[in-house]
Amino acid sequence: MLPFKEDYKEEIFETVCENAYHCLVVVDREGLITYLNNSYCEFLDVKKEEAIGVHVTGIIENTRMHIVAKSGNEEIADLQYIRGNHMIANRIPVRSEGKVIGAVGTVLYRDTEEWLKMNSHIKDLLLELEHYRNQLRNQYGNTYSLHDIVGSSSSLNIIKNKIKKVAPGDVSIMLTGESGTGKELFAHSIHHLSERNNKPFIKVNCAAIPENLLESELFGYEEGAFTDARKGGKLGKFQLADGGTLFLDEIGDMPLGAQVKILRALQEGEIEAIGATKPRKVDVRIISATNQSLEKMIADNRFREDLFYRLNVIRLEIPPLRERKDDIRILAKFILDKVSKRSGKRVTDFSTEVLEHYMHYEWPGNIRELENVIESAVHLTNKEIIASDDLPDHLLGNASMHQSEKLKDILEHTEKQAIQNALKKYDGDKMQAANALQIGKSSFYEKVKKYNL
């Protein structure tokens, strides 16, 4: 190929860089714009003389040009969101004598009108995809997978690997662990990896449903089964979960009467709604969870041994946060990003002192307590970096809470300590702890929730 004459260099440059149907930007090693073609200036609605010499992040949103200029790694056909449009961007490092001296970036499109039509089509497809995702979430309730469980500590990886092994089968699984460790998240993950993942995931909180309503919630009822029964009857959780997974949370708080019927459902594969004249076949996989010692409850005749062995085919012990401290930093950052987006505040990080406090605290409320502490700090701080003075007193390890002269603070601290001690003494058994403290069941659960225990 013969080279063009020297006289045509300017014309070639103008045709390639200024009149071609693409946007072009050049940055130096520091990410400062050294060239911006007319197409890009028009698209960004900026004047060329105002853009030259400015850092690229101040002119182009979501840009990575400065990163490519530093790393020397090219990025081809990357989807970039600019001024409300999805654009296809290429970023290529520029080298001189083996050293990266800057980067050239192009954003491709044929003409503005054609690109806007294509971009509108992409947006429509993304909205349609999100619509179907939401439909699945609403229908089946399955919103989490194993990838949503943040952390890479050895104890967490052991659990994740076990879940991958046991999830594909239909065997019953019992999740044990302290309150706030994320047992429901693990239950979702098991369902997500199972052959039932396109069927319903139904949760039952056995502690939150009054004892006199638990049976109808689980097994449903027929029309006219009792006074005020809904016309047409009502499907129970077992019927709703048919073909999918039923997650029985706080299984230790289930009354003995309901335990008998659950045992029959597992043994016979059928349930009988209140007021029904014949049983109905159901196909459900049971995942149960508890923070209590069911073996101790069996010894006290408060949990059926035969049901225990049906539920406890595979047992997974979820480690508390204090035993996976390697995950605290990444968990804290993940939660901070989520809370910041939800609150609309720009809070980007933690000070070194705050992270040290997080690492040394025992976290009796586990991940749920960590999330509450971070959410509180985000709302209290007026800075982008969370500092020690944004943390609650009990996390700082000082005695200010104990020395408070306010009667309310003294009583709350004492109450929380008494509940913690009772739960520890009775191995997380809420009924025994409540009885020992002479507190009603519903009142006890409200206090446990209040103090994130």
Side-chain angles (χ1 to χ4, degrees):
M1 180 177 177
L2 294 173
F4 282 99
K5 291 183 178 180
E6 196 76 19
D7 297 341
Y8 302 144
K9 279 189 175 180
E10 288 188 12
E11 287 81 357
I12 294 168
F13 180 84
E14 185 175 353
T15 300
V16 173
C17 297
E18 292 295 350
N19 296 328
Y21 289 110
H22 61 253
C23 298
L24 179 69
V25 60
V26 182
V27 300
D28 64 12
R29 184 81 173 87
E30 303 304 318
L32 301 177
I33 295 175
T34 60
Y35 177 76
L36 195 69
N37 75 346
N38 292 333
S39 295
Y40 220 159
C41 288
E42 289 174 12
F43 180 72
L44 297 173
D45 193 22
V46 296
K47 294 180 179 178
K48 187 177 294 188
E49 58 270 21
E50 293 175 354
I52 302 299
V54 178
H55 196 273
V56 66
T57 55
I59 301 296
I60 305 172
E61 64 180 306
N62 299 315
T63 183
R64 291 178 52 84
M65 289 294 295
H66 57 301
I67 297 172
V68 172
K70 286 280 188 185
S71 68
N73 299 322
E74 68 176 28
E75 297 179 354
I76 304 298
D78 185 32
L79 201 63
Q80 184 175 344
Y81 194 71
I82 311 174
R83 303 198 72 193
N85 298 292
H86 292 92
M87 313 293 280
I88 300 172
N90 296 321
R91 310 177 189 98
I92 302 171
V94 178
R95 289 180 169 85
S96 177
E97 298 180 355
K99 294 182 179 180
V100 178
I101 59 170
V104 174
T106 58
V107 174
L108 306 178
Y109 68 100
R110 185 170 175 82
D111 60 58
T112 305
E113 185 177 349
E114 185 175 308
W115 173 254
L116 289 175
K117 287 180 182 178
M118 186 185 298
N119 185 67
S120 178
H121 183 59
I122 292 172
K123 284 181 178 178
D124 187 52
L125 289 175
L126 290 173
L127 287 171
E128 186 176 0
L129 178 61
E130 186 61 26
H131 170 71
Y132 287 124
R133 281 176 175 167
N134 288 332
Q135 276 191 334
L136 283 172
R137 290 191 189 106
N138 293 335
Q139 185 175 359
Y140 298 133
N142 185 25
T143 55
Y144 305 109
S145 70
L146 208 57
H147 300 290
D148 294 305
I149 301 174
V150 178
S152 58
S153 61
S154 58
S155 59
L156 186 63
N157 284 336
I158 288 171
I159 292 294
K160 286 184 176 182
N161 289 332
K162 285 182 179 179
I163 285 175
K164 291 175 185 177
K165 292 177 182 177
V166 303
D170 261 352
V171 65
S172 296
I173 296 174
M174 181 176 289
L175 303 172
T176 59
E178 296 176 7
S179 179
T181 50
K183 294 186 286 295
E184 183 177 348
L185 196 64
F186 287 93
H188 274 288
S189 301
I190 294 168
H191 175 75
H192 182 79
L193 291 172
S194 75
E195 297 299 316
R196 298 171 177 263
N197 62 0
N198 62 342
K199 296 294 183 179
F201 176 92
I202 303 296
K203 176 189 173 182
V204 179
N205 188 335
C206 303
I209 304 173
E211 186 172 340
N212 61 321
L213 297 179
L214 189 57
E215 190 173 337
S216 64
E217 283 293 317
L218 286 173
F219 309 110
Y221 57 79
E222 298 291 321
E223 182 177 342
F226 50 82
T227 307
D228 297 328
R230 182 188 299 175
K231 187 178 181 180
K234 178 187 176 183
L235 294 176
K237 301 296 186 184
F238 268 87
Q239 294 100 315
L240 293 172
D242 194 15
T245 303
L246 184 65
F247 176 46
L248 301 175
D249 198 12
E250 303 282 9
I251 187 70
D253 293 296
M254 179 167 288
L256 285 168
Q259 291 179 30
V260 175
K261 298 198 76 172
I262 286 181
L263 182 62
R264 180 185 174 188
L266 295 178
Q267 289 175 332
E268 308 297 334
E270 60 184 29
I271 58 99
E272 190 170 326
I274 298 173
T277 56
K278 59 181 181 179
R280 169 181 168 174
K281 288 287 183 181
V282 288
D283 172 28
V284 297
R285 183 189 196 174
I286 299 289
I287 301 175
S288 56
T290 183
N291 61 0
Q292 304 182 49
S293 171
L294 295 186
E295 291 89 343
K296 192 172 185 303
M297 294 182 69
I298 290 169
D300 294 337
N301 295 316
R302 294 192 294 115
F303 200 88
R304 291 185 64 96
E305 188 173 15
D306 45 7
L307 177 59
F308 173 76
Y309 288 119
R310 282 279 180 178
L311 298 174
N312 194 44
V313 179
I314 291 179
R315 187 169 187 158
L316 299 176
E317 178 76 30
I318 311 302
L321 190 54
R322 63 180 172 276
E323 292 180 11
R324 41 179 288 218
K325 290 200 171 182
D326 290 347
D327 294 331
I328 287 178
R329 293 177 188 271
I330 187 172
L331 260 173
K333 190 66 174 69
F334 173 80
I335 293 170
L336 178 63
D337 290 342
K338 183 175 68 173
V339 172
S340 296
K341 288 176 183 175
R342 192 168 62 221
S343 67
K345 293 186 70 174
R346 182 177 171 81
V347 184
T348 60
D349 212 341
F350 306 92
S351 70
T352 304
E353 293 79 10
V354 167
L355 289 173
E356 285 300 314
H357 285 303
Y358 286 171
M359 294 297 290
H360 288 96
Y361 185 60
E362 288 299 301
W363 299 108
N366 292 293
I367 299 169
R368 185 187 298 128
E369 184 181 8
L370 175 62
E371 185 160 6
N372 288 346
V373 165
I374 292 172
E375 187 159 16
S376 170
V378 167
H379 284 90
L380 288 173
T381 191
N382 55 7
K383 304 177 290 292
E384 289 191 11
I385 307 295
I386 291 177
S388 295
D389 56 3
D390 299 316
L391 300 181
D393 291 326
H394 71 273
L395 204 73
L396 299 174
N398 60 38
S400 61
M401 180 64 75
H402 305 268
Q403 296 171 354
S404 172
E405 295 180 359
K406 295 180 180 178
L407 180 60
K408 179 177 178 291
D409 292 342
I410 296 170
L411 291 174
E412 285 187 348
H413 175 74
T414 305
E415 185 176 64
K416 179 180 179 180
Q417 194 66 51
I419 293 172
Q420 278 182 315
N421 294 340
L423 286 170
K424 186 175 181 180
K425 180 178 179 181
Y426 294 104
D427 298 321
D429 190 321
K430 295 188 181 71
M431 284 298 293
Q432 285 202 345
N435 291 336
L437 295 171
Q438 296 185 5
I439 303 174
K441 179 182 174 182
S442 59
S443 177
F444 184 80
Y445 277 105
E446 286 175 6
K447 295 179 187 297
V448 167
K449 183 178 180 181
K450 174 183 177 181
Y451 297 123
N452 300 311
L453 300 176

